[in-house]
Amino acid sequence: MEFWNIIYYSDLSLFVFVCLTVTYMGIFAFASMFSQHQETPKSRKENRFIILIPAYKNGASAEQTVSSILGQSYPMRLFDVTLIADQLDEMSKFRLAQQPITLITPNFAKSSRSKSLQLAINNLPQFKLYDIAVVLNPGSIVEPDFLSQLNDAYEAAGTKAIQCHMVSQNRDTIPARLSAIFEEINNSIFRRGHVVLGLSSASSSSAMVFDFNWFKENIMATKSSWDDKELEALLLRQHIFVDYFDDIMVFSEKTRRAEDFNRQRRRWLYSHLRTILHNIRFLPGAILTRHYDLIDKIIQWTLLPRMIMMAIIIVMGVLMPLFAFTLAFKWWLLFAIVLFIFALATPNYLVDDKWDRTFFLIPVIFLAAILSKTRFGQRLKTITNKKI
């Protein structure tokens, strides 16, 4: 009898925790169906931009981003590009040195994005004055009117931080397709849905726009490899609203292999846990002062990551009939609800005949990571990495 009590209460506790995450996502997924911005008016002011690209090892991706940003219709006299070439190959550095950009080649004992960005800021000419700082990851591709759109949006938003719309360029393998779907779900739930309800958008590691003076001062306070999370926390604690513009798109290539996909999720999970531990102490003060943006963000950080949530639902839906068939029904219903929420949050161009099958393969991707050293794990990797 004690064994069945353990099974029952463990199942119930896990179900309640997952339901909290699902409820939170459902509220903002519904809100994301409504537009938060009308057409952005044309700004009379032309701001001066500094575009910062912290590149690590991948020289080809850095070259693509530089080529993309130099093809802007915005006046070239009003923007500068600084690329931090951390451990790039010599040929890439040679080609980048031919471009009209500032190329910085650091020699860090231990590399990190925050160190690269701090070095870039410290090496900017003192006589140059900038209004806006833009951070782009290597591999990001922007359209020719990107800076013109940002200039209009920055003046219209009236805030010190803007997040652009991240879009995946490739969906040719299961991990790449899953990354593309989750990116758009993030855009809908954690960005557009939040802004619609008057809360700050979640920030990303790329396509972020900051007031230059704010960025120059606050990037120096970051210490970890996850400067985007640290900057996001600093913005919230300083009561700075982060706006989101759905029509300003930045295209990036997603990882195609299951092992890279899992490695990326492990890094994100670790940064998530560090962020919670560093910021949970601000929750009581945020509640007392009714700082809703910070309350929401701390709650958001404590929720289950979507990959883990989906894996739990699928695994529990499969395992519970082995113990008590009736306990499985709620997991099956929850899975249907989650798919409905994800469908609401996913743009139409991603919802096709492969959409639902992609989510069913989440446990397979996890299993491939756990059994990576075995023959069976290698076989699973082959299945998930195969082009679709």
Side-chain angles (χ1 to χ4, degrees):
M1 188 66 180
E2 187 178 340
F3 171 76
W4 291 110
N5 282 336
I6 293 172
I7 293 292
Y8 177 78
Y9 287 113
S10 298
D11 170 73
L12 182 62
S13 300
L14 192 56
F15 181 76
V16 169
F17 187 43
V18 173
C19 277
L20 291 173
T21 301
V22 173
T23 302
Y24 180 93
M25 293 176 61
I27 292 169
F28 290 103
F30 180 74
S32 72
M33 298 175 68
F34 303 93
S35 176
Q36 84 278 18
H37 286 131
Q38 303 300 323
E39 186 175 348
T40 307
K42 190 73 177 174
S43 173
R44 293 184 179 181
K45 180 182 178 181
E46 289 184 324
N47 289 290
R48 185 168 180 81
F49 290 85
I50 177 66
I51 295 92
L52 303 170
I53 308 169
Y56 178 70
K57 288 189 176 180
N58 198 337
S61 295
E63 290 179 60
Q64 287 181 342
T65 302
V66 168
S67 175
S68 170
I69 202 69
L70 289 177
Q72 293 296 295
S73 58
Y74 201 70
M76 284 202 71
R77 61 185 171 79
L78 293 176
F79 71 91
D80 294 321
V81 181
T82 295
L83 188 139
I84 309 91
D86 187 4
Q87 299 185 40
L88 265 61
D89 60 275
E90 292 302 321
M91 282 305 298
S92 291
K93 286 192 284 189
F94 176 78
R95 286 190 291 266
L96 287 165
Q98 312 307 309
Q99 302 291 340
I101 66 172
T102 299
L103 185 66
I104 300 174
T105 54
N107 185 24
F108 298 129
K110 186 177 181 181
S111 300
S112 73
R113 264 175 50 103
S114 59
K115 287 181 182 178
S116 292
L117 292 170
Q118 289 165 3
L119 182 65
I121 290 294
N122 285 330
N123 279 272
L124 290 177
Q126 295 296 317
F127 63 89
K128 292 230 174 172
L129 301 177
Y130 299 103
D131 303 298
I132 301 171
V134 181
V135 180
L136 291 175
N137 280 347
S140 297
I141 305 297
V142 296
E143 295 176 330
D145 60 347
F146 174 66
L147 290 181
S148 297
Q149 285 183 297
L150 278 186
N151 186 67
D152 296 339
Y154 186 80
E155 291 300 315
T159 187
K160 294 184 178 180
I162 290 174
Q163 173 64 56
C164 302
H165 184 171
M166 297 289 294
V167 182
S168 174
Q169 286 182 290
N170 59 302
R171 302 187 299 277
D172 51 351
T173 66
I174 294 295
R177 187 173 182 79
L178 200 55
S179 291
I181 292 171
F182 277 156
E183 187 72 76
E184 286 291 9
I185 289 172
N186 286 342
N187 289 329
S188 296
I189 295 175
F190 300 106
R191 296 183 181 119
R192 185 168 61 249
H194 273 65
V195 171
V196 166
L197 294 182
L199 296 168
S200 280
S201 161
S203 63
S204 176
S205 61
S206 183
M208 277 293 288
V209 183
F210 302 94
D211 172 84
F212 174 75
N213 290 326
W214 184 91
F215 182 80
K216 180 180 179 180
E217 179 182 346
N218 286 271
I219 190 61
M220 298 304 169
T222 62
K223 298 175 182 177
S224 72
S225 300
W226 303 280
D227 57 279
D228 56 314
K229 293 294 183 188
E230 290 190 80
L231 289 174
E232 185 175 26
L234 287 168
L235 285 164
L236 291 167
R237 297 207 299 269
Q238 295 175 30
H239 297 263
I240 297 173
F241 182 76
V242 182
D243 210 339
Y244 171 70
F245 283 79
D246 212 36
D247 57 336
I248 306 178
M249 297 187 181
V250 176
F251 301 88
S252 62
E253 189 168 292
K254 297 301 179 185
T255 181
R256 289 180 164 84
R257 302 190 306 163
E259 50 268 42
D260 294 333
F261 181 87
N262 282 310
R263 191 181 304 114
Q264 191 178 62
R265 264 61 198 174
R266 284 195 298 270
R267 287 200 306 268
W268 286 353
L269 182 59
Y270 181 60
S271 70
H272 221 65
L273 292 172
R274 281 180 59 107
T275 304
I276 293 168
L277 293 174
H278 279 83
N279 291 279
I280 193 69
R281 68 183 188 275
F282 298 110
L283 183 58
I287 294 172
L288 290 173
T289 58
R290 299 182 183 180
H291 188 177
Y292 299 118
D293 257 349
L294 187 54
I295 294 169
D296 167 74
K297 187 58 62 175
I298 293 173
I299 291 172
Q300 185 186 123
W301 286 331
T302 59
L303 297 175
L304 280 171
R306 284 164 306 292
M307 276 285 292
I308 294 176
M309 181 191 72
M310 288 297 294
I312 289 172
I313 293 172
I314 293 172
V315 169
M316 293 299 287
V318 172
L319 289 181
M320 290 319 294
L322 303 178
F323 299 100
F325 198 80
T326 54
L327 294 179
F329 285 114
K330 63 181 181 297
W331 291 105
W332 298 342
L333 177 62
L334 191 61
F335 182 73
I337 292 170
V338 169
L339 285 186
F340 175 70
I341 290 170
F342 283 175
L344 281 180
T346 307
N348 291 336
Y349 78 93
L350 286 175
V351 182
D352 54 22
D353 58 336
K354 301 184 185 77
W355 185 84
D356 51 355
R357 282 190 292 143
T358 303
F359 289 104
F360 277 107
L361 285 169
I362 288 175
V364 178
I365 294 173
F366 267 118
L367 199 58
I370 295 168
L371 304 176
S372 59
K373 303 300 182 183
T374 67
R375 184 176 295 181
F376 181 61
Q378 293 298 322
R379 177 59 181 160
L380 290 177
K381 279 185 187 178
T382 304
I383 294 170
T384 55
N385 292 339
K386 191 164 73 171
K387 290 198 173 185
I388 56 174

